[in-house]
Amino acid sequence: MTQSTSNLTNTNTEVREITLTRPDDWHIHLRDGEALPTTVAHAATSFNRIICMPNLVPPVVNVKDAIAYRSRILQVLEQVDIKSDYKTSFNPRMTLYLTDTTSADDIKQAAESGIVQAVKLYPAGATTNSADGVTNLSARTDVFDAMQKYGLPLLIHGEVTETHVDIFDREKQFIDTTLTHMVKQFPELKIVVEHITTGDAADFVLSQSERVAATITPQHLLFNRNHLLVGGIKPHFYCLPILKRRQHQEVLLDVATSGNPKFFLGTDSAPHATHAKENACGCAGCYSAPIALPLYATAFDSVGKIERLEGFASQFGAKFYGLPINKEKVTLVNRPMQIPTSYSYMQQQDVTPLMAGDTLPWSFK
Ligand code: DOR
Ligand code: ZN
């Protein structure tokens, strides 16, 4: 699919199809160990390159950890039952988890490793497995200087963690109190504001040079906090940063479908066993990897912008990271698809995907 609608075809039966370059996922959680057979099979079926988040327990903090984690992923890839083409094109790219003790030398080694694509900043306590995150950002200046020097992007979970700050305001507060200063202090640092959820974050990214970009998840394009809270709490819509009000959803849809290369695909697909989400203290994370592309297609088509999907899903992220565009293609068709109610996950467990049991208007051909 190009920016024109030349690859958007109507077949005789009035079913629309789009063929686009196979996408990459610039933000995904695969977890580790027994989770990998499910998450690797789903990620490799949907995407070529992926950026694997480092919030394992314990986290991926240096190149040695990243190499070991990547080889566990590739070992599982060999064993899963998916098309061999998908195995060939799958390329997990790694991240380091920034801690209070990450050194400039860790950054240098990561930049030279060829497999570490970026460094992830979790403010300590912001989300799942973030306890080892950064407690004092101003003490990490040497690390950001090194990232700037070696051209290693910083991926940011942009939320403050102070208990008195309302959960719906945490992203905006992070921008106002932290990010605005960081971009001035490190003018060459490449930054991705991950999984943006507010008009404030979209405006911030738009106001910066091209070295500041953002990923957007399918859930933040398709849903708002009413979906999470009205008519009963729906734990499978609970993720962090939390879904915001409808006006923010509309801005996100607007920028994602605008053709602006600052905004690109990052699912934040984050598996938690169903029992851990349907729980008095449910975990944060939406699992979307196997159905992500039909979800995004549904979001883009909802505002009549399906022809803008290819840039968002398959071009802009690669451009930001200085990587080539994939050669493989994928075709989506405007034909209904029922999302499975669950997938098997870990030993004797299951994971419930986003929109489990619902019917999407777009599916894989
Ligand atoms: O909802 C989320 N889940 N947000 C995050 O930032 C982390 C993720 C996870 O690892 O489960
Ligand atoms: Zn994430």
Side-chain angles (χ1 to χ4, degrees):
M1 191 180 65
T2 60
Q3 291 299 309
S4 78
T5 54
S6 56
N7 287 2
L8 178 60
T9 50
N10 282 320
T11 64
N12 291 339
T13 50
E14 294 298 320
V15 174
R16 289 180 297 154
E17 281 184 16
I18 52 165
T19 296
L20 59 156
T21 300
R22 238 168 88 78
D24 305 300
D25 187 349
W26 304 107
H27 183 134
I28 191 170
H29 299 262
L30 298 182
R31 313 296 189 211
D32 205 354
E34 290 170 358
L36 291 178
T38 302
T39 58
V40 169
H42 287 162
T45 305
S46 293
F47 301 106
N48 273 22
R49 288 162 300 204
I50 59 168
I51 289 190
C52 304
M53 287 298 125
N55 61 336
L56 309 181
V57 186
V60 177
V61 294
N62 54 39
V63 172
K64 191 166 141 272
D65 293 346
I67 290 172
Y69 183 32
R70 188 167 193 269
S71 67
R72 294 196 293 279
I73 293 167
L74 294 178
Q75 213 174 348
V76 169
L77 181 71
E78 287 309 308
Q79 293 153 12
V80 295
D81 183 20
I82 60 171
K83 274 171 54 181
S84 64
D85 287 1
Y86 294 156
K87 294 189 180 187
T88 312
S89 57
F90 188 58
N91 181 1
R93 314 284 308 162
M94 311 315 286
T95 49
L96 296 192
Y97 186 117
L98 190 65
T99 71
D100 285 340
T101 57
T102 306
S103 67
D105 193 49
D106 290 327
I107 300 302
K108 180 171 185 283
Q109 287 182 32
E112 289 168 352
S113 73
I115 64 149
V116 176
Q117 192 73 50
V119 175
K120 179 70 186 280
L121 163 61
Y122 291 104
T127 187
T128 307
N129 301 343
S130 62
D132 294 309
V134 175
T135 60
N136 181 5
L137 272 173
S138 46
R140 308 284 53 219
T141 304
D142 58 334
V143 170
F144 297 135
D145 280 336
M147 292 178 65
Q148 201 167 229
K149 177 169 165 197
Y150 297 108
L152 204 58
L154 179 67
L155 315 186
I156 301 183
H157 183 112
E159 288 192 288
V160 297
T161 55
E162 287 94 334
T163 45
H164 68 271
V165 180
D166 190 279
I167 189 168
F168 293 101
D169 298 333
R170 289 180 175 204
E171 185 174 271
K172 178 173 165 30
Q173 283 259 344
F174 185 86
I175 293 164
D176 294 346
T177 63
T178 306
L179 202 46
T180 307
H181 304 293
M182 277 184 83
V183 292
K184 288 195 184 116
Q185 197 180 351
F186 306 100
E188 306 294 325
L189 182 61
K190 289 183 90 169
I191 290 175
V192 183
V193 192
E194 297 291 334
H195 40 55
I196 60 167
T197 64
T198 57
D200 310 280
D203 288 344
F204 173 80
V205 171
L206 285 169
S207 74
Q208 300 298 314
S209 74
E210 64 183 18
R211 54 114 185 183
V212 178
T215 54
I216 309 184
T217 74
Q219 62 267 25
H220 293 101
L221 293 177
L222 287 165
F223 304 110
N224 58 64
R225 65 195 197 182
N226 278 9
H227 296 95
L228 171 70
L229 295 169
V230 173
I233 293 177
K234 321 287 189 326
H236 298 291
F237 287 130
Y238 176 58
C239 64
L240 289 170
I242 199 163
L243 293 172
K244 305 297 192 299
R245 60 172 66 241
R246 187 169 62 88
Q247 286 81 350
H248 291 294
Q249 180 198 353
E250 284 168 359
V251 176
L252 297 177
L253 258 177
D254 213 34
V255 294
T257 62
S258 67
N260 186 325
K262 281 172 161 291
F263 301 95
F264 49 81
L265 187 155
T267 62
D268 199 20
S269 178
H272 292 274
T274 299
H275 68 82
K277 289 200 58 78
E278 297 175 3
N279 191 291
C281 185
C283 295
C286 299
Y287 189 62
S288 62
I291 41 143
L293 205 49
L295 288 168
Y296 280 114
T298 301
F300 275 59
D301 203 25
S302 74
V303 289
K305 297 276 180 62
I306 192 76
E307 76 280 2
R308 292 270 165 84
L309 181 61
E310 185 174 41
F312 176 85
S314 315
Q315 295 172 346
F316 302 156
K319 185 169 171 238
F320 179 86
Y321 284 106
L323 296 169
I325 305 291
N326 296 324
K327 294 198 168 49
E328 299 80 359
K329 301 281 174 193
V330 59
T331 299
L332 296 173
V333 57
N334 190 199
R335 202 173 266 140
M337 174 189 87
Q338 190 176 24
I339 298 179
T341 50
S342 66
Y343 300 97
S344 67
Y345 180 63
M346 306 188 61
Q347 295 264 305
Q348 320 261 323
Q349 298 186 35
D350 59 48
V351 57
T352 301
L354 190 64
M355 295 186 74
D358 285 352
T359 300
L360 281 181
W362 285 87
S363 49
F364 292 106
K365 188 169 180 190

